[in-house]
Amino acid sequence: MAKLNENYLNLKESYLFADIAKRVAKFSEENPDKKIIRLGIGDVTKPLNKTVIENLHLAVDEMSDEKTFKGYGPEQGYDFLRNAIKDYYNRKGINLEVSEIFVSDGAKSDTGNITDLFSVDNIVMIPDPVYPVYVDTNIMNGREIVYIDANKDNDFLPLPDENKKADLIYICSPNNPTGACYNKEQLKMWVDYALKNEAIILFDAAYECFIADDSLPTSIFEIEGARKCAIEFCSLSKTAGFTGTRCGYTIVPKDIVFKSSNGSDMSLNQMWNRRQTTKFNGVPYIIQKGAASVFTEEGMKMSKETIDYYKENARIIANTMEECGINYYGGINSPYIWFECPDNMGSWDFFDKMLNEIAVVGTPGVGFGKNGDGYFRLSSFGNREATIEAMERFKTLFK
Ligand code: MLT
């Protein structure tokens, strides 16, 4: 008889955003006349920019001609894109080898897939609240999780505690959902902790392009020592609107080498390469062509214009919070506004109130962990009109 992975019994019934989608679908069915505004999942609304679209078209044409047609591509990504990413890091003062860069279909997949490289008896440290993929994928594997509290007392930026040991540490900065962003000194504390404890940091930089303050690190590799203890995940989803087109990248430095139980060297870079060549056939050529144009001067300029548009939405949401006397966080170095639910309401109660009374969808903070209860997240990725309309409706809750 087949034995199933019973770790799945330890998961919540559904993934956070699937759960929200189900509730919203039910509400929509029961209230067909209500115009729902969705500021829940961080899905972008602006189309891919002109240079990406042009390159996608060119790549489609290449696929129609036998001379330029592409079949299987390199599992690690085409060199033209890996080199574009290498140059992008170079401009930040970070030197990478092309073979340390693995093109992926997004940070969501890779922050989960990376667990393949680690034994199940590692202890995983995960901030609470945080992006639920880290918790769920490690529960699926049956790994022990220790949570570190992120709350307003530590500005939602927990720091290492020598009394709490872990082998794998997830860090998301700028943080999803709170919008908090570590500075260099704080990240250095994490790197030092990891080096001292021979732990690995799994650094999710999916929102790095929202960092407005030049003094804040956009990559863990800005921190001395990180090449020996950190893997970085990044994505073009929020940077350039690839949520539906799917393209990201993972950086696995060659300096991370551990001794196996029989004394041989094990390189995480080689292991990830081995894993990807076995389980992944790469991102489609057409998509990689579009993605490469994001890193050109023109592409970066266009992405920035779109990010500025979302930031203006964040400002509109933040202003509304101020007007309503609500304590909020984020929105400066992040696309999310994280706020305290009014009248000490629980997150799901506030979710229901918003949906039922004003037909606006947000994300209940408790969906990101127990410390998120009593908080709520709004996304700035809606279009301008919808964001303004949602905030007008929001204010009516307080009249
Ligand atoms: C979110 O809303 O937290 C993100 O859009 C989810 C994701 O990136 O997978």
Side-chain angles (χ1 to χ4, degrees):
M1 192 180 96
K3 293 190 187 61
L4 304 191
N5 179 354
E6 296 198 1
N7 293 318
Y8 276 64
L9 296 173
N10 300 325
L11 292 166
K12 287 190 199 135
E13 194 187 320
S14 37
Y15 180 58
L16 172 63
F17 294 105
D19 192 3
I20 293 172
K22 228 172 12 192
R23 289 173 192 237
V24 175
K26 182 167 177 286
F27 175 82
S28 167
E29 211 178 285
E30 290 166 0
N31 301 276
D33 51 318
K34 291 255 167 80
K35 185 179 153 238
I36 300 172
I37 301 180
R38 292 161 207 270
L39 303 182
I41 192 165
D43 196 2
V44 296
T45 49
K46 284 275 161 205
L48 295 168
N49 70 42
K50 197 166 135 276
T51 164
V52 171
I53 292 293
E54 277 167 11
N55 280 284
L56 290 174
H57 280 300
L58 288 174
V60 169
D61 289 344
E62 285 182 73
M63 293 304 242
S64 70
D65 183 337
E66 204 171 325
K67 292 200 275 308
T68 47
F69 168 77
K70 301 277 186 298
Y72 290 127
E75 295 88 347
Q76 306 83 350
Y78 283 95
D79 272 352
F80 63 78
L81 178 54
R82 297 171 94 194
N83 272 306
I85 297 167
K86 177 180 152 61
D87 292 347
Y88 176 60
Y89 274 76
N90 217 281
R91 296 197 287 275
K92 300 184 193 199
I94 297 166
N95 277 319
L96 297 175
E97 285 181 35
V98 165
S99 51
E100 295 177 316
I101 301 165
F102 296 83
V103 175
S104 74
D105 66 348
K108 177 181 184 176
S109 329
D110 276 8
T111 51
N113 291 338
I114 200 77
T115 57
D116 275 10
L117 307 193
F118 301 100
S119 154
V120 280
D121 51 24
N122 280 295
I123 298 174
V124 192
M125 184 177 270
I126 304 184
D128 176 332
V130 87
Y131 184 40
V133 169
Y134 319 150
V135 170
D136 286 3
T137 49
N138 279 288
I139 290 179
M140 287 171 184
N141 292 164
R143 252 181 225 101
E144 182 185 340
I145 299 175
V146 293
Y147 294 95
I148 40 170
D149 292 328
N151 48 42
K152 59 179 174 181
D153 295 337
N154 57 22
D155 294 324
F156 296 99
L157 293 170
L159 291 172
D161 171 353
E162 272 311 326
N163 298 315
K164 263 194 175 174
K165 293 290 175 216
D167 308 301
L168 305 175
I169 304 154
Y170 279 91
I171 297 179
C172 179
S173 182
N175 182 273
N176 177 11
T178 66
C181 186
Y182 282 107
N183 65 29
K184 286 188 183 151
E185 292 68 37
Q186 292 165 328
L187 274 192
K188 178 82 173 91
M189 290 167 82
W190 277 114
V191 168
D192 289 346
Y193 171 95
L195 291 171
K196 183 164 169 215
N197 293 284
E198 295 182 275
I200 302 290
I201 295 173
L202 303 171
F203 189 78
D204 186 350
Y207 296 93
E208 56 92 20
C209 62
F210 279 84
I211 295 180
D213 177 344
D214 286 345
S215 72
L216 295 173
T218 58
S219 163
I220 185 98
F221 300 120
E222 288 182 45
I223 311 301
E224 199 192 327
R227 279 188 59 86
K228 287 196 162 60
C229 65
I231 293 175
E232 179 158 300
F233 306 88
C234 204
S235 162
L236 297 189
S237 286
K238 317 294 154 94
T239 304
F242 276 63
T243 52
T245 320
R246 308 305 312 151
C247 194
Y249 50 91
T250 294
I251 294 165
V252 190
K254 291 189 171 166
D255 301 17
I256 314 181
V257 179
F258 276 59
K259 284 273 178 234
S260 72
S261 48
N262 71 15
S264 59
D265 283 341
M266 292 185 83
S267 147
L268 275 183
N269 178 282
Q270 282 171 12
M271 287 169 72
W272 184 244
N273 190 52
R274 185 69 178 80
R275 190 252 176 228
Q276 292 299 80
T277 48
T278 305
K279 293 196 181 182
F280 187 54
N281 257 338
V283 173
Y285 171 75
I286 297 169
I287 303 300
Q288 292 193 54
K289 270 306 231 196
S293 67
V294 171
F295 296 97
T296 61
E297 205 179 320
E298 198 191 0
M300 299 295 292
K301 192 170 147 269
M302 289 184 183
S303 294
K304 183 168 181 314
E305 278 164 18
T306 307
I307 289 164
D308 286 346
Y309 173 93
Y310 294 133
K311 284 194 165 179
E312 176 60 14
N313 286 349
R315 198 190 59 77
I316 292 166
I317 300 172
N319 285 352
T320 307
M321 296 301 137
E322 272 166 34
E323 236 180 89
C324 298
I326 292 178
N327 247 350
Y328 72 94
Y329 307 84
I332 304 286
N333 298 303
S334 135
Y336 299 122
I337 302 282
W338 176 250
F339 63 91
E340 290 172 20
C341 300
D343 304 324
N344 291 319
M345 285 180 85
S347 301
W348 278 112
D349 289 341
F350 193 63
F351 173 88
D352 289 337
K353 184 177 171 69
M354 296 247 303
L355 186 59
N356 293 320
E357 295 182 22
I358 58 172
V360 174
V361 182
T363 309
V366 73
F368 298 97
K370 72 170 173 38
N371 289 329
D373 202 12
Y375 286 89
F376 206 76
R377 193 194 80 175
L378 286 177
S379 154
S380 68
F381 289 118
N383 70 38
R384 179 67 41 75
E385 298 68 32
T387 304
I388 292 172
E389 164 78 20
M391 291 304 96
E392 287 310 314
R393 293 189 201 174
F394 190 88
K395 287 178 206 165
T396 64
L397 292 174
F398 301 89
K399 292 229 162 97

